[in-house]
Amino acid sequence: MLFSAAVAVRLNAAEQAANPFRALDYAALRKQLRAFYPDECHGKCKDPAFDESDRAIRADLRAYAAAHPEYDALDIRRESYRAMRNHFRPFLFSESPFYFEAGVNGGWVMGIMPAREANNLCRRFYHEKGLVPDEAFARQRERHRQRYSLCCGPLVDDMHHVPAFHTVFTKGFKGVREDTAAALAACPKDDPLGRKWLETALDGLDTIHALQLKFAEAAEKRLAEGGRPERERKWLVRIVESARRCPWEPPRTFFEGLNFLWFMREIPSYVDGLASYALGRPDAWLIDLYRQDLKNGTITEDEARDLVARWMIVADCHLDTHRMIDSYSDQEAEMPVTLGGCDAEGKSVWNELTRMFLDTHIGCDCVFPKLHVRFGKRSPEEYLAMIGGMIAKGHCVFSMFNDDITVPVFVRHGIPLERARDYVCCGCWDPAVDSMTDTDAANYMSPLRVLEATIYRDSEAERKADVKLDPIDGAKSFEEVKHIFMANFLRFFRGTVSDYTRYGRSAAHVFPHPAYSACLDGCLERRRDTTDGGTRFHPRVMTLAFTANVVDSLCAIDKVCFRDKTATLSEFLDAVRSNWKGPRGEELRLRALDAPYWGDNSPESNGLMRWLFETVAQDLDGLSNEHGSPFVLAAWVYREFLLWGKNTKATPDGRRDGDRLAQGFAPSEYRCKEGVTAVMNAIGTIPHELLYASNANLTFEKLGMTPTLFAAVFRVFAEKRAHLLQPNCQSVEELVDAQKHPERHQDLIVRVCGFSARFVSLSKRWQDEYIERHRLRCQ
């Protein structure tokens, strides 16, 4: 059966009777996919044919490099394209009607992609060509190790790309190739780099076409073998027809549209060695194709539902969601699908496909793909209530993007309104305007770590990380404490920004993406790769992490040392340094816990949070990154809130050594005592218009929560102009029972941070963290 017994219990009788998936059986599909995909996100697919293909491609590249020692990155990329055309192996499944699988599993297995061998062969250029001095890399590594910062790549984030859906959906790769050939014909003679880049991009686009045709050839071969069941033969005939045309040409049917979304994530990523983390907006982009097929009689609603189910189950089987999660990236499959919101004309996207995808996700008991749903204060009630109802049932898989702030932010940065309205969601929580932008998204900065290091001075550690800090012990006023802390943070912040700006474009000499870049707005006109400043809008997002802990710590210092004068600043800091075990440790900790804190909606905490963001934003104002685009601020954090917290010493907010840290701009879990109203009002005081994105991971008390009440909460959140909400809703009793009797709760899915997981798959420390979260009451 499609449903587990637990899922059947979770749905009421009326829902079970109406659910269109109940009678279908996808066990064979799941079994086939799980036999192919690795159990963990860092592994290789299990089919030995991939290893054979991979080894052949890498061998060709190494042979070329050995024979041509003067090669550059474009030479190697061109040769990788040619090796792929010779050795690529397409994978088709008898239980899946789609064609797109290259065997690299996408996402976090970037090192397993054959195209990444080109990067490996070019890494020596960092040193040999003086692109980045060794001390810059050493500084980055040390700052990562000491928890000051994190960048998902060598001074650039090379993990969070978005497929060029809009470009290819409009003109197909054939149209992109024609544009590239025209740009090459018009390329001035005095731009040899531009000419070489365009020639390489043409090779890459031809490779994408060749790989597409290999799927048609593989399907033809299977048909010729005979003995296939009628359903599989029907699918293979359709693959032969479609793979000879699409996406070299735009999709013409609902099936081709669905396949297009997967193909765009997988094949260009395979070809250019990318990590592309998005599956597009099927309900917004494919609705006309779906209705056209229904009208023409080429598909039925049941057939469409079956396609959607198989489309989603592919994502859910990319790894084993029943394996234990304990470390940094266990069970991470960056596969978000974007639903809802508004279309390019500003009209609400809430249609039969939106409901079909939501129904399928819970009906098929999926963890993946990640559901990134767009909404606003004027979203349809039925849509918001359906999301709320799924959350109330324990299907907490949502990142909710607020159109009412996200669209204006894009417009403020120069994106045309129609394209801004059509943004997609990427990775854990990144908004992006595909084909127009390429965002360097994962750059975490920890103001809390700066505060911690300011309190616990370690000159040798500071020297290694190249961080210069002034002490706060002798400060005579709270204003002086604030000034010293902010000066310390901005000094570190500017140094990091300076490194990114100075060395970011070195990526063009190591891992360019010519075929992908040719699909992005601006690259053909400028004749430059996206890594080399070709894209018109290429912002670098600087994320401020653990801001609630900073605000709570400053509030505690202000109250204990300067307002109430319960202790001198030195006495208070000594208590913090003793992990609250000194002579007055527990007394002063209780005083700290009695101070205002972020989320209580007090003037003190609201004012400090606003001061923090406004001060840093003002310091960034006017600065351009290596691409000439802006640095932009965000507030989110991945698993560091627990894993970095484990190594963070006691802080003035009352935390003890090793306690977890706060997520995004949500209140600190162990400080918050408020209900929904106070927290939402506090969130509304943040200058969200200054941020590229922000994230609140909030857990709601289950008792009394209904779909209608959730819909009301979502509207309030939208009105507060906050960017992203990640809601949870389970009772403590339910979670404790799941710890004791996991067999009863296999379908219980929780939103941990930037990912969701089956609660029973979390390790004990992650389960305990989740159980201990503060639950907001709707009063």
Coordinates of all heavy atoms in Angstrom, one line a residue, residues 575-576 578-593 654 656:
A575 N 31.5 35.7 36.5 CA 30.5 34.7 36.8 C 30.2 34.0 35.4 O 30.0 32.7 35.4 CB 29.2 35.3 37.3
V576 N 30.1 34.7 34.3 CA 29.9 34.1 33.0 C 31.1 33.1 32.7 O 30.9 32.0 32.3 CB 29.8 35.1 31.9 CG1 29.7 34.5 30.5 CG2 28.6 36.0 32.2
S578 N 33.0 31.6 34.7 CA 33.0 30.4 35.5 C 31.9 29.4 35.2 O 31.7 28.4 35.9 CB 32.9 30.8 37.0 OG 31.5 31.2 37.3
N579 N 31.2 29.7 34.1 CA 30.1 28.9 33.7 C 29.0 28.9 34.8 O 28.3 27.9 35.1 CB 30.5 27.4 33.4 CG 29.4 26.6 32.7 OD1 28.5 27.2 32.1 ND2 29.4 25.3 32.8
W580 N 28.9 30.1 35.4 CA 27.9 30.4 36.4 C 28.1 29.6 37.7 O 27.2 29.3 38.5 CB 26.5 30.2 35.9 CG 26.2 30.9 34.6 CD1 26.2 30.4 33.4 CD2 26.0 32.3 34.5 NE1 25.9 31.3 32.5 CE2 25.8 32.6 33.1 CE3 25.9 33.4 35.3 CZ2 25.5 33.8 32.5 CZ3 25.7 34.7 34.8 CH2 25.5 34.9 33.4
K581 N 29.4 29.2 38.0 CA 29.7 28.3 39.1 C 30.5 29.1 40.2 O 30.8 28.5 41.2 CB 30.4 27.1 38.7 CG 29.6 26.1 37.9 CD 30.4 24.9 37.4 CE 29.6 24.0 36.5 NZ 30.4 22.8 36.0
G582 N 30.8 30.3 40.0 CA 31.5 31.1 40.9 C 30.7 31.5 42.2 O 29.6 31.0 42.3
P583 N 31.3 32.3 43.0 CA 30.6 32.6 44.3 C 29.2 33.2 44.1 O 28.3 32.8 44.9 CB 31.6 33.6 44.9 CG 32.9 33.3 44.3 CD 32.7 32.9 42.9
R584 N 29.0 34.0 43.1 CA 27.7 34.5 42.9 C 27.1 34.0 41.6 O 26.2 34.6 41.0 CB 27.8 36.1 42.9 CG 28.3 36.7 44.2 CD 28.3 38.2 44.1 NE 26.9 38.7 43.9 CZ 26.6 40.0 43.5 NH1 27.6 40.8 43.3 NH2 25.4 40.4 43.4
G585 N 27.7 32.9 41.1 CA 27.3 32.5 39.7 C 25.8 32.3 39.5 O 25.2 32.8 38.6
E586 N 25.2 31.4 40.4 CA 23.8 31.1 40.2 C 22.9 32.3 40.4 O 21.9 32.6 39.7 CB 23.4 30.0 41.1 CG 21.9 29.5 40.9 CD 21.7 29.0 39.4 OE1 22.7 28.6 38.7 OE2 20.5 29.0 39.0
E587 N 23.3 33.1 41.4 CA 22.5 34.4 41.7 C 22.5 35.3 40.5 O 21.4 35.8 40.1 CB 23.1 35.1 42.9 CG 22.5 36.5 43.1 CD 23.4 37.4 43.9 OE1 24.4 36.9 44.5 OE2 23.1 38.6 44.0
L588 N 23.7 35.5 39.9 CA 23.8 36.4 38.7 C 23.2 35.8 37.5 O 22.6 36.5 36.6 CB 25.2 36.8 38.5 CG 25.9 37.6 39.6 CD1 27.3 38.0 39.3 CD2 25.1 38.9 39.8
R589 N 23.2 34.5 37.4 CA 22.5 33.9 36.2 C 21.0 34.1 36.3 O 20.4 34.4 35.3 CB 22.8 32.4 36.2 CG 22.2 31.6 35.1 CD 22.6 30.2 34.9 NE 22.0 29.6 33.8 CZ 20.8 28.9 33.8 NH1 20.2 28.8 35.0 NH2 20.3 28.4 32.8
L590 N 20.5 34.0 37.5 CA 19.0 34.2 37.7 C 18.7 35.7 37.4 O 17.6 36.0 36.8 CB 18.6 33.8 39.1 CG 18.6 32.3 39.4 CD1 18.3 32.1 40.9 CD2 17.7 31.5 38.5
R591 N 19.6 36.6 37.7 CA 19.4 38.0 37.4 C 19.4 38.2 35.9 O 18.6 38.9 35.3 CB 20.5 38.8 38.1 CG 20.5 38.8 39.6 CD 19.4 39.7 40.1 NE 19.5 39.8 41.6 CZ 18.8 40.7 42.3 NH1 17.9 41.4 41.7 NH2 18.9 40.7 43.6
A592 N 20.3 37.5 35.2 CA 20.4 37.6 33.8 C 19.2 37.1 33.1 O 18.6 37.6 32.2 CB 21.6 36.8 33.3
L593 N 18.7 35.9 33.6 CA 17.4 35.4 33.1 C 16.2 36.2 33.3 O 15.2 36.0 32.7 CB 17.2 34.0 33.6 CG 18.3 32.9 33.2 CD1 18.0 31.6 34.0 CD2 18.2 32.7 31.7
G654 N 22.7 33.9 30.1 CA 22.3 32.8 31.1 C 22.6 31.5 30.5 O 22.4 30.5 31.2
R656 N 24.6 28.2 29.6 CA 25.7 27.5 30.1 C 26.6 26.9 29.0 O 26.2 26.9 27.8 CB 25.3 26.4 31.1 CG 24.6 26.8 32.3 CD 24.4 25.6 33.3 NE 23.9 26.1 34.6 CZ 22.6 26.1 35.0 NH1 21.7 25.7 34.1 NH2 22.3 26.5 36.2

